[in-house]
Amino acid sequence: MPLDDTTPQLDALLLGTVLEMELSPRDNQVASKRYNLIPEHLQRPNSPIRPYMETALVYPQGSRAIGATIVHGADDDRFDLDAILEFRTPAGWTPRRVLDELHAAFEGFPDVKKIERCTRCIQLQFAFMHLDVTPMDPDRDPRAERVGEIYHSPDEGRDERFRVNPYGFGQDFRARITMPSRSFQDHVRDVRSKLQMKDRLVPGTIMADADIDALPEPIDPIRDAPQVIALKLMKRYLNLRYANRDEKRPVSVYLSKIAAEVPLSPFGICAQLESYAAELDKRMAAALETGRRPEERNPALWEENFNDRWPKHDREMKLFRMDLRHLVSELARARSSSLTDTRRIFDGLFGERVSEKAVRAYIDGLSSTAGVAHYEHNKGFVANPALIAAAPKKATQVSKAPAHHFHPGFRDK
Amino acid sequence: MKTKPRKPRSAQVQSNRMRHRWPDLRPRMLEGGRVIAWIGPLRGFQMRYEVAVIWEWQNPKAVPLVHVLDPPIEPRPGTDFIDLPHLNYDHQTPEDSALCLFDPDAGEWDSTMLIADRIVPWASEWLHFYEIWHLDGVWRGSNAPGPISVGEILRQRQEAPDGTRA
């Protein structure tokens, strides 16, 4: 099956899969509240870093900054979110001390179950949510917007500082994404509104319900762009592939950058995911062939190498290629499989729970009332025509067939 | 105001429309030219089925029939062909049954209409709902009033005390 073919029903299942992995509106509100509580908590009277928090700035980085947050999926219903905490390095503090003091300062954070000091960040572990807070020392003026240095302090080895610009990357990512057609966006919103999304983040006693509900949660439209949908599907797929491996997985920021560089496919979500996987595979193949490891740079700060921690070995790239090829071959199989077999393929790719829910949501969304049916010329029935019109310029021709009723009978010989 | 009665569509008009909308359904003349069969791929839920659209073009009362050639349609495990929803049931060779795509009592099809614009899209829609039916046994397409399968028709007849259709 060529890559340039549309897959309207498969796309509907892929979309349902992605929506099942999203945060509910209430989860988003709770997550926002936790971001907002960071400076407040660190400025409390007995905070060891209180004096340095006056000009501190907190903002999302990673998936939350680019609309690509999903449930992890391999072990539990967990979301991993990231934040940058900007404040000037106190005089004489080493990276180790910054991380240690910040670790101590988070003690008593509302609802937190466990606080871990990692090599570059402090991880706040809540029920169903991890929040990685990475401290950053902002550059001195004149400063390129939000450029600064993060700290690296491993148990063994020397302390280091790295110049980064996650905010700039988020801005660049957003600028590269092509928003789909209005009908595609409307359809995604419509499907989402019909889902019974489970709230995973239950607030504790400190965050009263009224407090949470009062927070208006801005909806990020970028999350519904096919390039971002493909990124979320890839992340979920890799979460499952690496769940039982003792290997480093491709870093999210690298995956994100490439996802935004793959142009919007006019043929739908499956084609977008296939093109994305093919692009990653091509890059791995080139790296293995030339012996030069990938070095994707932050477009907003050229010295920031997104591949500084992955890949370290050819083995890792070969493993990743195997996963990419498995994904592409399974999608090709789904293109020519029955719904029953497609369901099994999705179980393997994205997890049983989400695929079961995605199929159920698709079926429940069908109307049994006779109405006009859409069909793609020379191909056939289309349940959701908006999905094959993601690109503003339609790749395919869709028409309507008049309403009718199926009817059983005996063959009149 | 009187409306002019519409004429049955000629074989040429039907063929032209089929070639325009469904170029991969290739026409063949069968049975000494009495029947046109358009044979080719049609999408179900996602996968392609090889189908044959059969039309006795010289018979103005003939209804175009759609047969699924490959993969052949099958009943759900533990059931029979008579339980397949919306078949034009062939009791001698049930596996050769055609699809029943419209309600003959509701005027949804007549010879003035275009096969390419109705029969073929409806057949694809049937295949889509057939695959979902295979998943959980519930037919979610639109239904004409009454039973949805020949099996149901027969059971209802048996249940009616006077043997008539319930």
Side-chain angles (χ1 to χ4, degrees):
Chain A
M1 189 66 68
L3 285 187
D4 62 355
D5 213 358
T6 53
T7 51
Q9 274 70 250
L10 204 50
D11 287 3
L13 287 192
L14 288 168
L15 175 64
T17 301
V18 160
L19 295 181
E20 287 295 344
M21 300 186 303
E22 281 189 349
L23 280 79
S24 71
R26 187 177 177 80
D27 287 344
N28 270 310
Q29 289 174 329
V30 176
S32 285
K33 181 70 178 171
R34 285 177 179 157
Y35 274 91
N36 296 339
L37 272 176
I38 292 171
E40 195 180 304
H41 183 77
L42 298 177
Q43 286 178 61
R44 73 192 188 284
N46 60 344
S47 164
I49 58 170
R50 176 185 166 89
Y52 315 108
M53 288 295 109
E54 246 175 41
T55 56
L57 184 63
V58 179
Y59 50 87
Q61 69 152 336
S63 67
R64 192 161 171 87
I66 59 171
T69 305
I70 54 162
V71 177
H72 185 275
D75 42 11
D76 55 23
D77 263 356
R78 196 186 78 223
F79 295 97
D80 292 336
L81 302 176
D82 302 280
I84 289 285
L85 171 65
E86 275 189 15
F87 63 98
R88 289 273 173 89
T89 311
W93 284 23
T94 60
R96 178 172 303 273
R97 183 160 178 208
V98 172
L99 287 157
D100 289 345
E101 297 280 358
L102 187 58
H103 182 228
F106 271 117
E107 178 116 351
F109 194 87
D111 299 342
V112 80
K113 305 273 184 217
K114 191 177 173 189
I115 305 172
E116 278 214 10
R117 194 273 210 196
C118 308
T119 54
R120 295 186 184 189
C121 69
I122 307 301
Q123 184 172 75
L124 305 175
Q125 298 179 2
F126 306 91
F128 301 112
M129 173 181 158
H130 288 180
L131 177 56
D132 289 351
V133 182
T134 303
M136 178 204 269
D137 181 19
D139 274 8
R140 305 297 177 260
D141 289 331
R143 179 193 181 200
E145 194 180 12
R146 301 206 190 176
V147 174
E149 290 185 347
I150 59 167
Y151 311 92
H152 179 74
S153 177
D155 288 343
E156 290 170 19
R158 60 189 177 86
D159 281 4
E160 285 180 271
R161 291 166 67 113
F162 295 103
R163 281 187 92 226
V164 297
N165 187 0
Y167 177 83
F169 172 67
Q171 297 299 103
D172 182 84
F173 179 93
R174 306 177 80 85
R176 284 175 192 270
I177 293 297
T178 307
M179 285 310 288
S181 63
R182 175 59 56 195
S183 62
F184 184 95
Q185 293 182 59
D186 290 346
H187 176 73
V188 176
R189 265 198 298 275
D190 185 45
V191 176
R192 182 185 284 115
S193 72
K194 287 176 184 157
L195 288 178
Q196 299 286 317
M197 289 180 81
K198 188 172 87 175
D199 293 326
R200 295 166 175 98
L201 307 181
V202 181
T205 50
I206 289 177
M207 285 193 268
D209 279 7
D211 199 14
I212 297 295
D213 293 337
L215 261 180
E217 179 58 30
I219 298 302
D220 190 347
I222 200 174
R223 66 181 175 170
D224 295 340
Q227 289 146 303
V228 179
I229 290 173
L231 170 62
K232 289 189 269 198
L233 289 165
M234 179 66 78
K235 283 170 66 178
R236 171 59 167 243
Y237 168 67
L238 293 176
N239 286 348
L240 300 190
R241 296 294 283 181
Y242 281 78
N244 298 314
R245 286 179 185 161
D246 192 19
E247 289 284 353
K248 279 209 163 183
R249 51 170 293 162
V251 284
S252 286
V253 69
Y254 171 69
L255 297 174
S256 304
K257 187 182 177 197
I258 309 304
E261 288 180 2
V262 176
L264 175 65
S265 169
F267 302 110
I269 296 171
C270 185
Q272 186 75 44
L273 182 56
E274 287 167 328
S275 302
Y276 177 35
E279 179 62 31
L280 287 165
D281 184 55
K282 193 177 88 184
R283 286 168 189 246
M284 292 300 111
L288 285 165
E289 207 169 288
T290 59
R292 294 184 61 184
R293 300 206 195 296
E295 271 197 17
E296 279 304 322
R297 302 274 164 173
N298 184 344
L301 182 71
W302 202 247
E303 66 187 87
E304 187 182 354
N305 176 10
F306 290 154
N307 294 107
D308 66 340
R309 293 204 278 186
W310 187 94
K312 294 268 191 215
H313 310 282
D314 283 3
R315 185 189 70 243
E316 292 167 337
M317 290 190 283
K318 287 176 183 166
L319 187 63
F320 185 37
R321 283 196 84 189
M322 277 172 50
D323 288 336
L324 293 169
R325 288 174 170 210
H326 176 71
L327 173 64
V328 168
S329 74
E330 286 295 272
L331 290 173
R333 203 155 68 84
R335 279 174 175 270
S336 56
S337 289
S338 69
L339 174 58
T340 305
D341 290 338
T342 301
R343 160 83 201 277
R344 289 192 200 108
I345 292 167
F346 271 48
D347 285 353
L349 295 179
F350 308 114
E352 260 177 60
R353 262 189 306 169
V354 288
S355 71
E356 195 272 333
K357 285 182 178 173
V359 170
R360 178 55 47 196
Y362 177 84
I363 290 173
D364 290 346
L366 296 168
S367 168
S368 62
T369 314
V372 292
H374 293 84
Y375 66 97
E376 198 178 346
H377 296 185
N378 205 33
K379 291 175 183 173
F381 181 72
V382 177
N384 304 294
L387 285 183
I388 49 173
K393 193 179 171 189
K394 286 183 187 176
T396 184
Q397 281 191 296
V398 175
S399 294
K400 293 174 183 174
H404 68 120
H405 298 83
F406 294 111
H407 177 275
F410 295 91
R411 177 86 171 267
D412 184 16
K413 290 281 186 184
Chain B
M1 194 177 91
K2 275 188 178 176
T3 53
K4 197 176 167 187
R6 289 181 300 161
K7 282 188 193 166
R9 302 282 186 162
S10 68
Q12 189 172 358
V13 167
Q14 295 285 14
S15 292
N16 287 344
R17 189 65 170 178
M18 284 292 281
R19 193 165 50 245
H20 175 66
R21 279 286 154 93
W22 306 96
D24 287 347
L25 291 174
R26 301 295 170 97
R28 284 185 210 171
M29 300 303 281
L30 303 178
E31 299 183 20
R34 196 173 62 84
V35 167
I36 303 177
W38 287 275
I39 298 174
L42 192 60
R43 183 160 61 206
F45 176 81
Q46 190 59 63
M47 76 172 178
R48 301 295 171 95
Y49 293 78
E50 184 86 351
V51 301
V53 183
I54 309 283
W55 182 44
E56 282 179 51
W57 64 279
Q58 290 160 316
N59 176 1
K61 289 189 178 167
V63 167
L65 295 175
V66 180
H67 294 265
V68 182
L69 307 178
D70 185 44
I73 51 171
E74 291 176 347
R76 298 187 79 235
T79 67
D80 210 338
F81 271 95
I82 58 167
D83 299 311
L84 259 160
H86 304 304
L87 280 191
N88 199 338
Y89 188 69
D90 182 335
H91 68 95
Q92 284 176 334
T93 47
E95 61 276 17
D96 291 339
S97 299
L99 315 182
C100 210
L101 301 171
F102 57 89
D103 182 354
D105 300 329
E108 291 171 350
W109 171 259
D110 64 48
S111 59
T112 67
M113 298 168 180
L114 290 164
I115 296 168
D117 291 4
R118 294 186 186 232
I119 298 293
V120 183
W122 293 343
S124 177
E125 190 187 348
W126 188 99
L127 290 166
H128 167 265
F129 286 112
Y130 159 77
E131 287 192 39
I132 296 172
W133 173 80
H134 251 280
L135 200 68
D136 64 3
V138 178
W139 180 265
R140 290 182 174 77
S142 59
N143 298 301
I148 69 159
S149 68
V150 165
E152 261 187 50
I153 293 172
L154 294 175
R155 280 190 290 275
Q156 287 192 6
R157 280 184 185 173
Q158 281 170 357
E159 284 162 16
D162 59 356
T164 56
R165 187 173 168 174

